[in-house]
Amino acid sequence: MPEDHDDEREEQPEQPQRLFTLTEAERTRRELEPFLIEAIGARKKLSVLEQDLTAVSTRIMMMGGVLVPYSKLAEKRMEQQNLAEVMKSNLEKILSTGCLIKDLDVGLLDFPAIVDNQEVYLCWKLGEDRIRYYHRQDEGLLRPQALDPRDLGPGPHLQ
């Protein structure tokens, strides 16, 4: 009788988290910015398209399915698939670098790093000219710290 090999399979060890220096994080965020912008744009277009599809479905139901705009629906479904693929592809490019997407709506990225012997995230938001803040990995954005003492605190952009 063949042995059950499921028990013998070892779980793949989790890949160690990539740690960024500030220089590496800055270089990476500059490279990722176009992908982030494209992903955010695709997400916004998807949201509008999904609202359109819901409105069309509602109209079809209200009219008893008499006039179904098949070509229009097919076109919108194709556009939906294309936008979803664009968004997925860009998100995969971003995540493959080892950085984390914390909020796609505003374009907030975290880069794992070590500051003062603590595991932290260097945080950056789309529109900022550079990475200015970090926060401990267990604290989130509640208590961001300035990387440079000349930065006068987190301000409203990290709320």
Side-chain angles (χ1 to χ4, degrees):
M1 187 160 196
E3 287 185 38
D4 186 4
H5 293 288
D6 286 342
D7 294 334
E8 293 176 18
R9 269 189 266 156
E10 292 182 32
E11 287 188 28
Q12 291 286 338
E14 195 172 309
Q15 291 289 339
Q17 185 178 45
R18 176 184 176 185
L19 296 175
F20 290 83
T21 64
L22 181 56
T23 301
E24 291 169 336
E26 278 292 341
R27 184 180 328 113
T28 303
R29 78 136 188 106
R30 283 192 301 273
E31 292 169 2
L32 295 179
E33 192 168 352
F35 303 122
L36 183 62
I37 290 168
E38 191 170 18
I40 290 170
R43 182 176 177 160
K44 287 178 182 173
K45 288 176 186 172
L46 266 172
S47 178
V48 170
L49 188 58
E50 287 169 2
Q51 290 173 2
D52 289 349
L53 285 168
T54 300
V56 169
S57 295
T58 301
R59 279 195 302 273
I60 290 170
M61 285 184 356
M62 291 176 69
M63 298 180 78
V66 177
L67 301 171
V68 178
Y70 291 109
S71 62
K72 183 178 181 179
L73 281 174
E75 184 180 307
K76 287 196 177 288
R77 293 274 185 223
M78 182 62 76
E79 185 180 354
Q80 184 182 36
Q81 288 174 347
N82 291 339
L83 285 169
E85 186 54 42
V86 165
M87 189 172 85
K88 180 182 176 215
S89 171
N90 282 290
L91 295 179
E92 286 172 352
K93 288 174 190 171
I94 293 168
L95 294 172
S96 72
T97 65
C99 84
L100 306 171
I101 302 166
K102 288 299 182 165
D103 187 335
L104 187 57
D105 290 330
V106 297
L108 185 61
L109 301 181
D110 276 354
F111 298 85
I114 300 288
V115 173
D116 295 332
N117 294 317
Q118 292 184 40
E119 292 185 358
V120 300
Y121 290 125
L122 304 173
C123 44
W124 174 77
K125 187 173 93 171
L126 187 63
E128 294 178 339
D129 63 337
R130 63 185 169 87
I131 297 171
R132 296 176 184 270
Y133 304 100
Y134 70 95
H135 57 86
R136 286 192 358 211
Q137 290 185 6
D138 62 348
E139 287 184 334
L141 287 175
L142 298 176
R143 294 189 205 159
Q145 304 291 314
L147 286 167
D148 186 329
R150 292 173 291 187
D151 290 328
L152 299 174
H157 63 285
L158 284 177
Q159 298 295 321

